[in-house]
Amino acid sequence: MAIFFFGDPTPPPEGWIEGLSGNPAAPDDVVLRLLSVGAIDFYTRKEWSDRVAGAALNHADPKVRRNFAAYGGDQRFRLATDPDVQVRRSLAGCWERGRRLPEEVLEILADDPDDYVRWEVVSHSNVPKQSLIKLLSDPMPDIRAEARERIAETPAGPPGGWTPMTPEEADALVTSGDAAARERAAQNPLLSVDVVRRLTRAPESRVRLAASSHPALTENERAAIDVEIDPEIRYHLPQWTLLLPLDAVEVRRHATSAHVLIRRGLARRKDLPKDVKARFATDEDFAVRLLLAENSHDVPVELLLEIWREWAGLSQWQIKERIPHEGLRRFTDDPHPRMRALALDDPQTPPELVDGLSRDEDPWVRWCALRDPRLSPQRVTELLEDDNPNLHRGAAADPRLPLPRLLESLEETRLAVAVARNPALPPHVMHELLDRAGVPGQLSLSS
């Protein structure tokens, strides 16, 4: 598994500026000097002082404000009305980096003249309903459609916003030339089975696929529908599996369905009966097992271990946190590198085994061992000579590195960036590096 934390080797003094810009321990006076040349990475902290925030919010360079909008503290919300559209886009898109915006900020951004900003707003998990209602009349069709979907997901009203159709409405729908409307209707669990059957014969595969997962159909009827499901493609899962009130009898019936999208949809529920969870834990489809592990907290440890071994997606770290730590040292000699790295989570793994894993043939295992607090400063120093750039730069940024070796490494081109990022670097040395790099001693901003 590749790990990329540091950029290409940059010779001093350029490397010192780059490294200091990402140093989480840089004091305000160092940060303000860096801001004078637009060099600071705001992702290193959750909150910033008022001095730094004020300088960032009023910085003449929109790139600095854009960076602060993406990663700064709560002060960044003031950028919702920034004159630069890229700054507002950065703020609106923060949900993609796992950050939420307050509802009052989303309400401001929902009125933004930029289409991209409004699209980001409608994708936020906590977008206010009044903003969604406003976006129902947005000039962009995609934004209007997403707003309709989001409103349908809200708990107020019928589950999913579904309502029965009159025979006349159903007939008009089936004969409509609007394939998107027929696809949406096929997802309505309250649609009569006769109408669903007609939709299973639609000329468009997207409509047939949506109809094939309707709860009213029998397994034989599903099997006769002309659809193909690629196990490698991520599909939209039927909403009814998640939103309808739990009916244990119906859930058990659908849990045995040959339609993999129904099983995947059900696997997301947090209220599944225990026997259904047990069935899904051994389901032949990996996505079913994965979704169960992501959404249920009482699954077998064996399933969590399997998911950790095979899955490198965003949820891997949440899965890993739920694996009991005791006994993981048994994986020290496992043939799979992800499992060997897991041995480092065991509090009983002795320092000598941590040292051994820091010499593993797989660079990712060595990287994990480097991050282990039980690894000795001597071994951290030795890893400065590791052939893998991520390892020797990781060691250079490690605060356990003895100060004499740390200072010595500042002059090495391949280590300069990483060493300047080391939080153990004394503040007076940070200022000396900026002096040598020609960075002004005081912040100079234009209004």
Side-chain angles (χ1 to χ4, degrees):
M1 176 183 294
I3 304 290
F4 300 100
F5 283 99
F6 305 113
D8 292 331
T10 305
E14 292 87 351
W16 298 334
I17 296 176
E18 180 183 345
L20 288 173
S21 71
N23 192 315
D28 281 1
D29 50 356
V30 169
V31 173
L32 292 172
R33 291 186 68 180
L34 288 164
L35 275 173
S36 72
V37 291
I40 188 67
D41 290 328
F42 291 105
Y43 70 85
T44 58
R45 307 175 206 180
K46 292 183 178 180
E47 298 294 336
W48 293 86
S49 71
D50 290 339
R51 286 179 65 201
V52 170
L57 291 167
N58 297 289
H59 204 284
D61 187 348
K63 292 181 180 178
V64 172
R65 303 199 306 277
R66 187 163 70 240
N67 186 288
F68 192 72
Y71 300 108
D74 290 348
Q75 301 103 323
R76 65 198 172 98
F77 302 148
R78 291 160 54 188
L79 294 170
T81 56
D82 192 274
D84 190 282
V85 66
Q86 296 297 335
V87 174
R88 302 196 307 275
R89 286 182 176 185
S90 182
L91 180 65
C94 69
W95 68 275
E96 298 172 2
R97 296 176 289 275
R99 292 169 173 243
R100 287 161 61 98
L101 291 175
E103 291 188 0
E104 56 269 24
V105 176
L106 290 171
E107 289 180 17
I108 295 172
L109 294 173
D111 289 322
D112 198 277
D114 183 68
D115 298 338
Y116 184 89
V117 170
R118 299 194 309 279
W119 169 253
E120 293 285 9
V121 168
V122 80
S123 302
H124 270 262
S125 61
N126 64 319
V127 58
K129 188 171 183 180
Q130 60 266 29
S131 295
L132 289 175
I133 293 173
K134 182 187 305 179
L135 293 170
L136 286 173
S137 56
D138 194 274
M140 295 296 294
D142 288 346
I143 294 177
R144 295 197 302 269
E146 184 66 17
R148 284 196 301 270
E149 293 265 342
R150 296 299 303 278
I151 287 177
E153 293 173 2
T154 58
W162 296 306
T163 56
M165 282 187 174
T166 66
E168 294 77 17
E169 290 172 333
D171 186 67
L173 171 74
V174 174
T175 57
S176 165
D178 188 344
R182 284 183 281 125
E183 180 185 15
R184 285 195 299 272
Q187 300 165 1
N188 185 344
L190 304 181
L191 203 62
S192 71
V193 67
D194 291 337
V195 177
V196 177
R197 288 168 180 153
R198 293 171 66 185
L199 291 173
T200 65
R201 299 188 292 272
E204 302 89 0
S205 60
R206 59 191 279 197
V207 178
R208 298 196 304 273
L209 178 61
S212 70
S213 62
H214 197 279
L217 297 179
T218 66
E219 285 298 297
N220 288 337
E221 287 176 318
R222 293 190 214 287
I225 302 172
D226 180 20
V227 293
E228 290 186 6
I229 299 176
D230 187 334
E232 301 300 321
I233 293 179
R234 183 176 180 178
Y235 294 91
H236 286 293
L237 301 179
Q239 288 185 327
W240 64 264
T241 57
L242 190 62
L243 298 178
L244 285 181
L246 179 70
D247 182 322
V249 174
E250 284 296 288
V251 166
R252 289 187 173 97
R253 179 171 74 88
H254 292 303
T256 62
S257 175
H259 200 304
V260 69
L261 299 189
I262 292 179
R263 303 199 311 276
R264 290 180 185 179
L266 287 173
R268 298 175 297 170
R269 295 194 71 127
K270 301 182 184 299
D271 55 358
L272 291 172
K274 288 186 178 180
D275 58 308
V276 174
K277 290 182 181 180
R279 174 184 289 274
F280 283 165
T282 59
D283 195 279
E284 64 181 7
D285 181 69
F286 178 78
V288 171
R289 303 195 301 275
L290 171 63
L291 288 165
L292 176 71
E294 289 177 337
N295 292 282
S296 295
H297 290 278
D298 54 347
V299 297
V301 174
E302 292 74 15
L303 176 60
L304 298 177
L305 290 170
E306 177 207 355
I307 299 299
W308 167 251
R309 184 178 63 248
E310 304 296 336
W311 176 244
L314 290 177
S315 65
Q316 62 175 308
W317 307 112
Q318 287 75 26
I319 296 292
K320 183 173 181 283
E321 288 175 0
R322 290 163 49 204
I323 298 174
H325 292 176
E326 291 73 15
L328 291 179
R329 61 182 292 187
R330 69 185 186 276
F331 293 114
T332 302
D333 298 317
D334 192 277
H336 198 294
R338 286 177 68 88
M339 303 306 288
R340 294 199 298 278
L342 202 60
L344 293 163
D345 284 353
D346 191 331
Q348 300 304 317
T349 297
E352 55 267 26
L353 286 184
V354 176
D355 184 278
L357 289 169
S358 76
R359 305 171 194 275
D360 193 275
E361 63 181 4
D362 188 283
W364 187 70
V365 177
R366 301 200 300 277
W367 169 262
C368 292
L370 172 61
R371 299 177 67 191
D372 194 296
R374 292 165 292 194
L375 193 66
S376 68
Q378 177 183 349
R379 182 59 188 145
V380 172
T381 304
E382 292 172 355
L383 285 169
L384 288 173
E385 309 302 325
D386 194 287
D387 291 337
N388 186 283
N390 295 308
L391 266 297
H392 59 245
R393 294 175 198 163
D398 195 300
R400 290 170 293 184
L401 191 66
L403 184 58
R405 185 66 178 94
L406 185 154
L407 298 177
E408 178 185 312
S409 301
L410 283 167
E411 306 295 337
E412 299 183 37
T413 294
R414 70 189 188 106
L415 300 177
V417 174
V419 177
R421 189 171 283 146
N422 195 314
L425 197 66
H428 75 274
V429 175
M430 297 183 188
H431 281 290
E432 289 174 11
L433 296 178
L434 293 177
D435 290 342
R436 290 177 61 184
V439 176
Q442 293 187 358
L443 189 65
S444 176
L445 296 174
S446 61
S447 58

